[in-house]
PDB file of all heavy atoms in Angstrom:
ATOM      1  N   GLU A 620      -4.753  -0.756  -0.265  1.00  0.00           N
ATOM      2  CA  GLU A 620      -4.918  -0.846   1.167  1.00  0.00           C
ATOM      3  C   GLU A 620      -5.306  -2.273   1.606  1.00  0.00           C
ATOM      4  O   GLU A 620      -4.921  -2.715   2.653  1.00  0.00           O
ATOM      5  CB  GLU A 620      -5.913   0.202   1.661  1.00  0.00           C
ATOM      6  CG  GLU A 620      -5.870   0.463   3.123  1.00  0.00           C
ATOM      7  CD  GLU A 620      -6.497   1.762   3.516  1.00  0.00           C
ATOM      8  OE1 GLU A 620      -6.996   2.458   2.666  1.00  0.00           O
ATOM      9  OE2 GLU A 620      -6.550   1.978   4.715  1.00  0.00           O
ATOM     10  N   GLN A 621      -6.053  -2.927   0.757  1.00  0.00           N
ATOM     11  CA  GLN A 621      -6.423  -4.283   1.052  1.00  0.00           C
ATOM     12  C   GLN A 621      -5.289  -5.336   0.716  1.00  0.00           C
ATOM     13  O   GLN A 621      -5.138  -6.298   1.426  1.00  0.00           O
ATOM     14  CB  GLN A 621      -7.687  -4.683   0.252  1.00  0.00           C
ATOM     15  CG  GLN A 621      -8.954  -3.950   0.753  1.00  0.00           C
ATOM     16  CD  GLN A 621     -10.140  -4.315  -0.105  1.00  0.00           C
ATOM     17  OE1 GLN A 621     -10.021  -4.953  -1.159  1.00  0.00           O
ATOM     18  NE2 GLN A 621     -11.327  -3.847   0.303  1.00  0.00           N
ATOM     19  N   ARG A 622      -4.578  -5.040  -0.329  1.00  0.00           N
ATOM     20  CA  ARG A 622      -3.581  -5.938  -0.813  1.00  0.00           C
ATOM     21  C   ARG A 622      -2.275  -5.914  -0.065  1.00  0.00           C
ATOM     22  O   ARG A 622      -1.609  -6.920   0.189  1.00  0.00           O
ATOM     23  CB  ARG A 622      -3.321  -5.650  -2.317  1.00  0.00           C
ATOM     24  CG  ARG A 622      -2.338  -6.593  -2.972  1.00  0.00           C
ATOM     25  CD  ARG A 622      -2.366  -6.419  -4.501  1.00  0.00           C
ATOM     26  NE  ARG A 622      -3.512  -7.199  -5.017  1.00  0.00           N
ATOM     27  CZ  ARG A 622      -4.561  -6.639  -5.557  1.00  0.00           C
ATOM     28  NH1 ARG A 622      -4.682  -5.334  -5.765  1.00  0.00           N
ATOM     29  NH2 ARG A 622      -5.581  -7.395  -6.008  1.00  0.00           N
ATOM     30  N   PHE A 623      -1.822  -4.691   0.269  1.00  0.00           N
ATOM     31  CA  PHE A 623      -0.563  -4.501   0.997  1.00  0.00           C
ATOM     32  C   PHE A 623      -0.810  -4.371   2.479  1.00  0.00           C
ATOM     33  O   PHE A 623      -1.407  -3.384   2.921  1.00  0.00           O
ATOM     34  CB  PHE A 623       0.177  -3.260   0.485  1.00  0.00           C
ATOM     35  CG  PHE A 623       0.816  -3.477  -0.857  1.00  0.00           C
ATOM     36  CD1 PHE A 623       0.051  -3.306  -2.004  1.00  0.00           C
ATOM     37  CD2 PHE A 623       2.184  -3.800  -0.989  1.00  0.00           C
ATOM     38  CE1 PHE A 623       0.637  -3.544  -3.274  1.00  0.00           C
ATOM     39  CE2 PHE A 623       2.759  -3.941  -2.214  1.00  0.00           C
ATOM     40  CZ  PHE A 623       1.980  -3.790  -3.352  1.00  0.00           C
ATOM     41  N   THR A 624      -0.405  -5.401   3.243  1.00  0.00           N
ATOM     42  CA  THR A 624      -0.607  -5.345   4.707  1.00  0.00           C
ATOM     43  C   THR A 624       0.739  -5.689   5.327  1.00  0.00           C
ATOM     44  O   THR A 624       1.635  -6.161   4.685  1.00  0.00           O
ATOM     45  CB  THR A 624      -1.718  -6.399   5.117  1.00  0.00           C
ATOM     46  OG1 THR A 624      -1.297  -7.709   4.676  1.00  0.00           O
ATOM     47  CG2 THR A 624      -3.086  -6.043   4.540  1.00  0.00           C
ATOM     48  N   GLY A 625       0.818  -5.559   6.677  1.00  0.00           N
ATOM     49  CA  GLY A 625       2.037  -5.870   7.368  1.00  0.00           C
ATOM     50  C   GLY A 625       1.654  -6.357   8.753  1.00  0.00           C
ATOM     51  O   GLY A 625       0.521  -6.186   9.229  1.00  0.00           O
ATOM     52  N   PRO A 626       2.568  -6.844   9.551  1.00  0.00           N
ATOM     53  CA  PRO A 626       2.365  -7.351  10.865  1.00  0.00           C
ATOM     54  C   PRO A 626       1.624  -6.308  11.771  1.00  0.00           C
ATOM     55  O   PRO A 626       0.751  -6.712  12.451  1.00  0.00           O
ATOM     56  CB  PRO A 626       3.747  -7.732  11.429  1.00  0.00           C
ATOM     57  CG  PRO A 626       4.601  -7.946  10.203  1.00  0.00           C
ATOM     58  CD  PRO A 626       4.017  -7.006   9.165  1.00  0.00           C
ATOM     59  N   GLY A 627       2.055  -5.115  11.698  1.00  0.00           N
ATOM     60  CA  GLY A 627       1.409  -4.046  12.483  1.00  0.00           C
ATOM     61  C   GLY A 627       0.317  -3.335  11.776  1.00  0.00           C
ATOM     62  O   GLY A 627      -0.242  -2.330  12.298  1.00  0.00           O
ATOM     63  N   HIS A 628       0.049  -3.759  10.545  1.00  0.00           N
ATOM     64  CA  HIS A 628      -0.940  -3.101   9.705  1.00  0.00           C
ATOM     65  C   HIS A 628      -1.802  -4.176   8.980  1.00  0.00           C
ATOM     66  O   HIS A 628      -1.765  -4.316   7.781  1.00  0.00           O
ATOM     67  CB  HIS A 628      -0.319  -2.157   8.697  1.00  0.00           C
ATOM     68  CG  HIS A 628       0.466  -1.066   9.289  1.00  0.00           C
ATOM     69  ND1 HIS A 628       1.810  -1.198   9.613  1.00  0.00           N
ATOM     70  CD2 HIS A 628       0.143   0.192   9.609  1.00  0.00           C
ATOM     71  CE1 HIS A 628       2.203  -0.076  10.118  1.00  0.00           C
ATOM     72  NE2 HIS A 628       1.204   0.791  10.103  1.00  0.00           N
ATOM     73  N   PRO A 629      -2.531  -4.968   9.767  1.00  0.00           N
ATOM     74  CA  PRO A 629      -3.323  -6.054   9.141  1.00  0.00           C
ATOM     75  C   PRO A 629      -4.464  -5.560   8.270  1.00  0.00           C
ATOM     76  O   PRO A 629      -4.980  -6.314   7.397  1.00  0.00           O
ATOM     77  CB  PRO A 629      -3.893  -6.834  10.328  1.00  0.00           C
ATOM     78  CG  PRO A 629      -3.906  -5.869  11.465  1.00  0.00           C
ATOM     79  CD  PRO A 629      -2.700  -4.942  11.211  1.00  0.00           C
ATOM     80  N   ASN A 630      -4.887  -4.281   8.423  1.00  0.00           N
ATOM     81  CA  ASN A 630      -5.913  -3.716   7.579  1.00  0.00           C
ATOM     82  C   ASN A 630      -5.406  -2.673   6.608  1.00  0.00           C
ATOM     83  O   ASN A 630      -6.083  -1.819   6.182  1.00  0.00           O
ATOM     84  CB  ASN A 630      -6.956  -3.035   8.526  1.00  0.00           C
ATOM     85  CG  ASN A 630      -7.640  -4.051   9.408  1.00  0.00           C
ATOM     86  OD1 ASN A 630      -8.000  -5.144   9.024  1.00  0.00           O
ATOM     87  ND2 ASN A 630      -7.802  -3.697  10.697  1.00  0.00           N
ATOM     88  N   GLY A 631      -4.106  -2.785   6.272  1.00  0.00           N
ATOM     89  CA  GLY A 631      -3.476  -1.885   5.290  1.00  0.00           C
ATOM     90  C   GLY A 631      -2.762  -0.761   5.972  1.00  0.00           C
ATOM     91  O   GLY A 631      -2.759  -0.641   7.218  1.00  0.00           O
ATOM     92  N   PHE A 632      -2.180   0.111   5.194  1.00  0.00           N
ATOM     93  CA  PHE A 632      -1.301   1.209   5.687  1.00  0.00           C
ATOM     94  C   PHE A 632      -1.980   2.603   5.643  1.00  0.00           C
ATOM     95  O   PHE A 632      -1.354   3.565   5.824  1.00  0.00           O
ATOM     96  CB  PHE A 632      -0.002   1.232   4.872  1.00  0.00           C
ATOM     97  CG  PHE A 632       0.828   0.049   5.137  1.00  0.00           C
ATOM     98  CD1 PHE A 632       0.713  -1.136   4.457  1.00  0.00           C
ATOM     99  CD2 PHE A 632       1.812   0.116   6.145  1.00  0.00           C
ATOM    100  CE1 PHE A 632       1.532  -2.221   4.734  1.00  0.00           C
ATOM    101  CE2 PHE A 632       2.623  -1.011   6.501  1.00  0.00           C
ATOM    102  CZ  PHE A 632       2.472  -2.136   5.681  1.00  0.00           C
ATOM    103  N   GLY A 633      -3.268   2.585   5.365  1.00  0.00           N
ATOM    104  CA  GLY A 633      -3.996   3.859   5.335  1.00  0.00           C
ATOM    105  C   GLY A 633      -3.925   4.528   3.925  1.00  0.00           C
ATOM    106  O   GLY A 633      -3.078   4.108   3.128  1.00  0.00           O
ATOM    107  N   PRO A 634      -4.816   5.447   3.674  1.00  0.00           N
ATOM    108  CA  PRO A 634      -4.959   5.986   2.327  1.00  0.00           C
ATOM    109  C   PRO A 634      -3.665   6.756   1.856  1.00  0.00           C
ATOM    110  O   PRO A 634      -3.314   6.729   0.694  1.00  0.00           O
ATOM    111  CB  PRO A 634      -6.124   6.919   2.399  1.00  0.00           C
ATOM    112  CG  PRO A 634      -6.462   7.120   3.868  1.00  0.00           C
ATOM    113  CD  PRO A 634      -5.836   5.971   4.626  1.00  0.00           C
ATOM    114  N   THR A 635      -2.954   7.488   2.730  1.00  0.00           N
ATOM    115  CA  THR A 635      -1.810   8.234   2.334  1.00  0.00           C
ATOM    116  C   THR A 635      -0.719   7.336   1.905  1.00  0.00           C
ATOM    117  O   THR A 635      -0.147   7.474   0.772  1.00  0.00           O
ATOM    118  CB  THR A 635      -1.332   9.178   3.440  1.00  0.00           C
ATOM    119  OG1 THR A 635      -2.416  10.065   3.773  1.00  0.00           O
ATOM    120  CG2 THR A 635      -0.131   9.979   2.985  1.00  0.00           C
ATOM    121  N   LYS A 636      -0.301   6.348   2.731  1.00  0.00           N
ATOM    122  CA  LYS A 636       0.734   5.420   2.408  1.00  0.00           C
ATOM    123  C   LYS A 636       0.290   4.481   1.242  1.00  0.00           C
ATOM    124  O   LYS A 636       1.133   4.178   0.387  1.00  0.00           O
ATOM    125  CB  LYS A 636       1.128   4.572   3.618  1.00  0.00           C
ATOM    126  CG  LYS A 636       1.962   5.352   4.610  1.00  0.00           C
ATOM    127  CD  LYS A 636       2.453   4.490   5.717  1.00  0.00           C
ATOM    128  CE  LYS A 636       3.249   5.234   6.733  1.00  0.00           C
ATOM    129  NZ  LYS A 636       3.702   4.418   7.882  1.00  0.00           N
ATOM    130  N   SER A 637      -0.981   4.172   1.170  1.00  0.00           N
ATOM    131  CA  SER A 637      -1.464   3.332   0.113  1.00  0.00           C
ATOM    132  C   SER A 637      -1.333   4.069  -1.268  1.00  0.00           C
ATOM    133  O   SER A 637      -1.005   3.471  -2.297  1.00  0.00           O
ATOM    134  CB  SER A 637      -2.911   2.876   0.318  1.00  0.00           C
ATOM    135  OG  SER A 637      -2.973   2.022   1.425  1.00  0.00           O
ATOM    136  N   ALA A 638      -1.584   5.394  -1.262  1.00  0.00           N
ATOM    137  CA  ALA A 638      -1.396   6.182  -2.514  1.00  0.00           C
ATOM    138  C   ALA A 638       0.070   6.189  -2.893  1.00  0.00           C
ATOM    139  O   ALA A 638       0.393   6.097  -4.079  1.00  0.00           O
ATOM    140  CB  ALA A 638      -1.884   7.617  -2.244  1.00  0.00           C
ATOM    141  N   LEU A 639       0.995   6.239  -1.928  1.00  0.00           N
ATOM    142  CA  LEU A 639       2.420   6.256  -2.248  1.00  0.00           C
ATOM    143  C   LEU A 639       2.800   4.860  -2.767  1.00  0.00           C
ATOM    144  O   LEU A 639       3.668   4.709  -3.682  1.00  0.00           O
ATOM    145  CB  LEU A 639       3.228   6.612  -1.013  1.00  0.00           C
ATOM    146  CG  LEU A 639       3.011   8.051  -0.491  1.00  0.00           C
ATOM    147  CD1 LEU A 639       3.683   8.270   0.805  1.00  0.00           C
ATOM    148  CD2 LEU A 639       3.535   9.013  -1.535  1.00  0.00           C
ATOM    149  N   ILE A 640       2.306   3.809  -2.140  1.00  0.00           N
ATOM    150  CA  ILE A 640       2.543   2.429  -2.618  1.00  0.00           C
ATOM    151  C   ILE A 640       2.088   2.276  -4.072  1.00  0.00           C
ATOM    152  O   ILE A 640       2.752   1.762  -4.952  1.00  0.00           O
ATOM    153  CB  ILE A 640       1.886   1.373  -1.735  1.00  0.00           C
ATOM    154  CG1 ILE A 640       2.502   1.397  -0.307  1.00  0.00           C
ATOM    155  CG2 ILE A 640       2.024  -0.018  -2.349  1.00  0.00           C
ATOM    156  CD1 ILE A 640       1.694   0.626   0.724  1.00  0.00           C
ATOM    157  N   LEU A 641       0.848   2.803  -4.353  1.00  0.00           N
ATOM    158  CA  LEU A 641       0.282   2.718  -5.703  1.00  0.00           C
ATOM    159  C   LEU A 641       1.184   3.416  -6.677  1.00  0.00           C
ATOM    160  O   LEU A 641       1.481   2.930  -7.751  1.00  0.00           O
ATOM    161  CB  LEU A 641      -1.077   3.318  -5.732  1.00  0.00           C
ATOM    162  CG  LEU A 641      -1.801   3.395  -7.096  1.00  0.00           C
ATOM    163  CD1 LEU A 641      -2.025   2.006  -7.653  1.00  0.00           C
ATOM    164  CD2 LEU A 641      -3.131   4.152  -6.927  1.00  0.00           C
ATOM    165  N   ALA A 642       1.670   4.620  -6.347  1.00  0.00           N
ATOM    166  CA  ALA A 642       2.573   5.344  -7.219  1.00  0.00           C
ATOM    167  C   ALA A 642       3.912   4.568  -7.478  1.00  0.00           C
ATOM    168  O   ALA A 642       4.385   4.537  -8.585  1.00  0.00           O
ATOM    169  CB  ALA A 642       2.970   6.687  -6.624  1.00  0.00           C
ATOM    170  N   THR A 643       4.380   3.893  -6.452  1.00  0.00           N
ATOM    171  CA  THR A 643       5.555   3.109  -6.546  1.00  0.00           C
ATOM    172  C   THR A 643       5.363   1.872  -7.485  1.00  0.00           C
ATOM    173  O   THR A 643       6.200   1.559  -8.341  1.00  0.00           O
ATOM    174  CB  THR A 643       6.088   2.643  -5.146  1.00  0.00           C
ATOM    175  OG1 THR A 643       6.292   3.802  -4.380  1.00  0.00           O
ATOM    176  CG2 THR A 643       7.336   1.792  -5.262  1.00  0.00           C
ATOM    177  N   VAL A 644       4.247   1.193  -7.285  1.00  0.00           N
ATOM    178  CA  VAL A 644       3.894   0.006  -8.154  1.00  0.00           C
ATOM    179  C   VAL A 644       3.794   0.513  -9.574  1.00  0.00           C
ATOM    180  O   VAL A 644       4.339  -0.090 -10.448  1.00  0.00           O
ATOM    181  CB  VAL A 644       2.548  -0.553  -7.698  1.00  0.00           C
ATOM    182  CG1 VAL A 644       2.047  -1.576  -8.696  1.00  0.00           C
ATOM    183  CG2 VAL A 644       2.735  -1.285  -6.300  1.00  0.00           C
ATOM    184  N   GLN A 645       3.056   1.589  -9.812  1.00  0.00           N
ATOM    185  CA  GLN A 645       2.846   2.058 -11.209  1.00  0.00           C
ATOM    186  C   GLN A 645       4.180   2.466 -11.831  1.00  0.00           C
ATOM    187  O   GLN A 645       4.437   2.129 -12.986  1.00  0.00           O
ATOM    188  CB  GLN A 645       1.886   3.230 -11.174  1.00  0.00           C
ATOM    189  CG  GLN A 645       0.664   2.907 -12.004  1.00  0.00           C
ATOM    190  CD  GLN A 645      -0.370   3.981 -12.001  1.00  0.00           C
ATOM    191  OE1 GLN A 645      -0.552   4.680 -11.029  1.00  0.00           O
ATOM    192  NE2 GLN A 645      -1.020   4.108 -13.126  1.00  0.00           N
ATOM    193  N   ALA A 646       5.016   3.188 -11.128  1.00  0.00           N
ATOM    194  CA  ALA A 646       6.294   3.656 -11.687  1.00  0.00           C
ATOM    195  C   ALA A 646       7.242   2.497 -11.994  1.00  0.00           C
ATOM    196  O   ALA A 646       8.015   2.596 -13.009  1.00  0.00           O
ATOM    197  CB  ALA A 646       6.949   4.642 -10.692  1.00  0.00           C
ATOM    198  N   ASN A 647       7.250   1.453 -11.190  1.00  0.00           N
ATOM    199  CA  ASN A 647       8.222   0.381 -11.362  1.00  0.00           C
ATOM    200  C   ASN A 647       7.759  -0.879 -11.941  1.00  0.00           C
ATOM    201  O   ASN A 647       8.578  -1.671 -12.414  1.00  0.00           O
ATOM    202  CB  ASN A 647       8.860   0.127  -9.967  1.00  0.00           C
ATOM    203  CG  ASN A 647       9.629   1.280  -9.455  1.00  0.00           C
ATOM    204  OD1 ASN A 647      10.709   1.566  -9.911  1.00  0.00           O
ATOM    205  ND2 ASN A 647       8.994   2.031  -8.535  1.00  0.00           N
ATOM    206  N   ILE A 648       6.478  -1.159 -11.990  1.00  0.00           N
ATOM    207  CA  ILE A 648       5.993  -2.457 -12.496  1.00  0.00           C
ATOM    208  C   ILE A 648       5.090  -2.267 -13.718  1.00  0.00           C
ATOM    209  O   ILE A 648       5.194  -2.969 -14.679  1.00  0.00           O
ATOM    210  CB  ILE A 648       5.284  -3.281 -11.385  1.00  0.00           C
ATOM    211  CG1 ILE A 648       6.256  -3.570 -10.255  1.00  0.00           C
ATOM    212  CG2 ILE A 648       4.745  -4.581 -12.013  1.00  0.00           C
ATOM    213  CD1 ILE A 648       5.627  -4.345  -9.123  1.00  0.00           C
TER     214      ILE A 648
END
């Protein structure tokens, strides 16, 4: 949530999307 931010999400994407991002990072990197 701290590392992945965007123009409309300067404080991250929230816990649900952050968990999905984490799963994506883990699966692919």
Side-chain angles (χ1 to χ4, degrees):
E620 198 162 356
Q621 291 176 350
R622 183 167 280 113
F623 285 82
T624 58
H628 298 87
N630 298 316
F632 290 89
T635 301
K636 287 184 180 179
S637 292
L639 296 172
I640 294 167
L641 177 62
T643 302
V644 167
Q645 242 178 324
N647 293 284
I648 299 178

